[in-house]
Amino acid sequence: MKLPGVLWKLSRATLHALRGLWTIKTVFPKLAQEDRHARVNIWACEMLQIVGIELVVNGTPPAEGPVLLVANHISWLDILVMHASRHCRFVSKADIKKWPIVGTMAGAAGTMYLERESRRDAHRVVVQMADRLRAGDVLAVFPEGTTGDGITLKPFHANLIQAAIEASAPVQPVALKFIDAASGQTSFAPSYVDDETLVGSIWRTLTAPRLIAVVTFGPAHAHQGRNRRLWAQALREDIEQLRQL
């Protein structure tokens, strides 16, 4: 894409983000939780359209909670894509709170933050997650713990799966991938892994040929007596299969 087109897309995305911030500050305090969730879903869909990413949703997103969504992690775009396919409350690393604009929006969407290096904080978050699941929320986690290369899945950390066991809530596997619209091949433009920078990833995404974000929801299932490690492994296998569809 030529530079003027990229700059136009970037300016529109920035304006949309600022409008989102204004809505959070001025409108959200007056809205019920369900209405906030609907606004987040609409905002995310509009942002994908602005940056030129088509959304394709396969399978059946949960109509209501309680349910814990478990997804593979590729990019900073993953949260936006999942909000566009079905609003959910994310459990995310505490660093995101410090990101300009993104941190404010994540907080407004109900994100729960985790200090990943602290076992005590992990326990706190599991307790909080279980409470929210019992209240009927739709939660989402990335059990890889960090972004992957989009080719292979990293091992799944099982700690946060414990919340679904304690709340007797189902878990639904979700597979994410980005593909080039013209070739149908996997696109690595939105990748954000290892030494890649957020700015570089955003620039590659904006300058790439038209992309399609594919979100595939598998069937939800209960833990059926499995411990969290066995359940996490089964979910990883589910997502691996869903990624091939």
Side-chain angles (χ1 to χ4, degrees):
M1 179 179 291
K2 294 182 179 180
L3 184 59
V6 176
L7 294 178
W8 171 244
K9 189 185 294 186
L10 180 60
S11 64
R12 290 185 64 208
T14 301
L15 180 59
H16 189 59
L18 293 175
R19 285 174 177 167
L21 285 176
W22 178 255
T23 299
I24 289 168
K25 297 294 186 182
T26 62
V27 179
F28 269 33
K30 307 171 187 176
L31 297 179
Q33 182 172 317
E34 289 186 2
D35 294 328
R36 292 184 184 184
H37 292 174
R39 289 290 188 105
V40 171
N41 175 259
I42 293 170
W43 181 90
C45 290
E46 291 174 345
M47 181 62 87
L48 288 180
Q49 292 176 353
I50 288 170
V51 299
I53 298 177
E54 178 185 350
L55 176 66
V56 173
V57 178
N58 299 320
T60 305
E64 57 186 11
V67 63
L68 176 63
L69 303 178
V70 169
N72 60 307
H73 200 10
I74 304 169
S75 170
W76 55 276
L77 268 173
D78 296 344
I79 292 177
L80 181 66
V81 166
M82 287 190 67
H83 274 317
S85 60
R86 205 291 178 201
H87 179 272
C88 47
R89 293 188 65 181
F90 277 94
V91 179
S92 185
K93 60 183 181 181
D95 295 358
I96 289 181
K97 287 192 294 185
K98 303 174 184 177
W99 290 10
I101 299 180
V102 174
T104 301
M105 292 185 170
T111 299
M112 292 179 280
Y113 294 107
L114 169 67
E115 297 286 349
R116 294 195 184 276
E117 305 303 322
S118 170
R119 289 188 177 182
R120 179 178 297 180
D121 200 53
H123 175 71
R124 175 191 65 81
V125 171
V126 166
V127 171
Q128 185 180 4
M129 289 173 62
D131 286 344
R132 295 317 310 162
L133 287 169
R134 293 187 191 100
D137 280 5
V138 178
L139 305 183
V141 298
F142 298 119
E144 290 172 285
T146 187
T147 49
D149 58 13
I151 302 174
T152 57
L153 293 179
K154 294 178 178 291
F156 277 20
H157 300 286
N159 290 354
L160 299 183
I161 306 298
Q162 184 65 34
I165 295 176
E166 294 185 7
S168 298
V171 177
Q172 187 167 5
V174 184
L176 307 177
K177 62 182 177 181
F178 296 94
I179 61 177
D180 181 275
S183 67
Q185 300 299 308
T186 298
S187 173
F188 300 102
S191 69
Y192 181 36
V193 64
D194 297 331
D195 294 330
E196 294 177 342
T197 66
L198 179 60
V199 172
S201 179
I202 292 173
W203 185 257
R204 285 196 310 273
T205 302
L206 293 175
T207 57
R210 191 168 65 88
L211 298 175
I212 300 176
V214 181
V215 185
T216 304
F217 289 85
H221 48 83
H223 70 91
Q224 299 173 327
R226 292 170 289 191
N227 63 37
R228 66 192 186 194
R229 289 181 177 82
L230 290 177
W231 200 3
Q233 180 59 34
L235 290 163
R236 185 178 184 276
E237 293 170 0
D238 287 348
I239 291 173
E240 187 64 79
Q241 293 177 0
L242 293 171
R243 291 170 69 224
Q244 309 307 318
L245 299 178

